Amino acid sequence: MADPFALFDTWFAEARASEPNEPDAMAVATAGADAQPSVRMVLLKAHGPEGFTFYTHEQSAKGRDLAQNPRAALLFHWKSLCRQVRIEGPIERVSDAEADAYFASRGRDSQLGAWASDQSQPLDSRDTFERRFDEMKQRYEDKDVPRPSGWIGYRVVPERIEFWTAREHRLHERRLFTREGSGWREGLLYP
Ligand SMILES: Cc1cc2nc3c(=O)[nH]c(=O)nc-3n(C[C@H](O)[C@H](O)[C@H](O)COP(=O)(O)O)c2cc1C
């Protein structure tokens, strides 16, 4: 049976072995109620048949888009391998327990940064941000840093996954997997 997740695992392992940095970096595209697409990089933190997970603030621009239109597109580009992977589908929020566990695994300064950042809101000066960061340092001195309630994980549940490989003379190869019932249909696309 066609299994895009096994293929993703193989490609991701090869990217980890060959990309000079951040093979887990992916672009995530969203569009809110105004239909204006917006795209930015995030890091892939978990993946499998249940979906592809990243973490962010729900009050960020992307979080607000996803509240209005709970669908996203992801893009990996592994330059040294001449490959891209495109993933599209609806999103789910990961459970609080899963988000807590991942937050607890982050470095302490990243945890404090999540408290200090009012992500995507206007900032009057870098000093203000640094002051907020120092305040958080003091607030949580000698304490565990809890996960801010609005700092959450989104899982993109794929309906389409395309694996693209560059070939000579732009005769690129495109393998498209489309969800069909409980399985996947595999086909090819012209480049
Ligand atoms: C390589 C890379 C990885 C990033 N990873 C994350 C991430 O995992 N989560 C996140 O919220 N922002 C991440 N960022 C910052 C985002 O690109 C973006 O600036 C931020 O999330 C605000 O986006 P928004 O205003 O569109 O919501 C990353 C940036 C880069 C360049």
Side-chain angles (χ1 to χ4, degrees):
M1 197 178 75
D3 182 359
F5 301 107
L7 183 56
F8 185 88
D9 285 347
T10 303
W11 279 29
F12 194 45
E14 287 168 3
R16 280 176 182 279
S18 68
E19 286 298 312
N21 57 47
E22 296 188 321
D24 49 354
M26 59 186 184
V28 55
T30 58
D34 63 1
Q36 170 60 54
S38 181
V39 64
R40 78 290 287 160
M41 301 302 292
V42 295
L43 296 178
L44 177 72
K45 290 299 170 186
H47 73 278
E50 67 291 345
F52 295 78
T53 300
F54 63 92
Y55 287 87
T56 193
H57 289 263
E58 69 180 337
Q59 289 307 325
S60 66
K62 71 183 96 46
R64 282 179 274 132
D65 277 358
L66 291 170
Q68 292 164 10
N69 172 20
R71 301 188 71 86
L74 303 175
L75 174 70
F76 294 87
H77 180 208
W78 294 308
K79 273 190 179 176
S80 60
L81 291 168
C82 303
R83 285 174 172 170
Q84 66 173 334
V85 178
R86 301 169 60 172
I87 297 168
E88 294 173 8
I91 54 104
E92 292 174 346
R93 291 165 64 124
V94 311
S95 69
D96 284 347
E98 191 177 337
D100 286 343
Y102 171 61
F103 190 79
S105 77
R106 301 181 92 208
R108 192 173 173 83
D109 282 354
S110 303
Q111 293 176 334
L112 293 168
W115 279 99
S117 175
D118 197 4
Q119 196 177 49
S120 309
Q121 296 306 312
L123 171 64
D124 63 354
S125 75
R126 187 77 197 167
D127 285 350
T128 303
F129 183 40
E130 282 169 9
R131 198 171 336 109
R132 282 171 62 116
F133 184 77
D134 289 340
E135 283 164 15
M136 294 304 149
K137 256 188 179 159
Q138 282 168 20
R139 185 195 289 181
Y140 292 109
E141 206 174 0
D142 302 325
K143 291 189 205 124
D144 285 344
V145 184
R147 176 176 62 88
S149 61
W151 189 94
I152 63 168
Y154 293 98
R155 186 185 298 119
V156 179
V157 182
E159 289 175 341
R160 287 167 62 94
I161 308 184
E162 182 195 322
F163 295 84
W164 183 101
T165 309
R167 294 274 185 251
E168 279 194 348
H169 316 298
R170 304 263 150 88
L171 304 178
H172 310 309
E173 187 184 304
R174 301 179 66 186
R175 289 172 69 181
L176 175 66
F177 293 77
T178 343
R179 197 181 278 279
E180 208 172 55
S182 57
W184 290 86
R185 181 157 47 97
E186 183 179 356
L188 299 175
L189 297 172
Y190 281 101

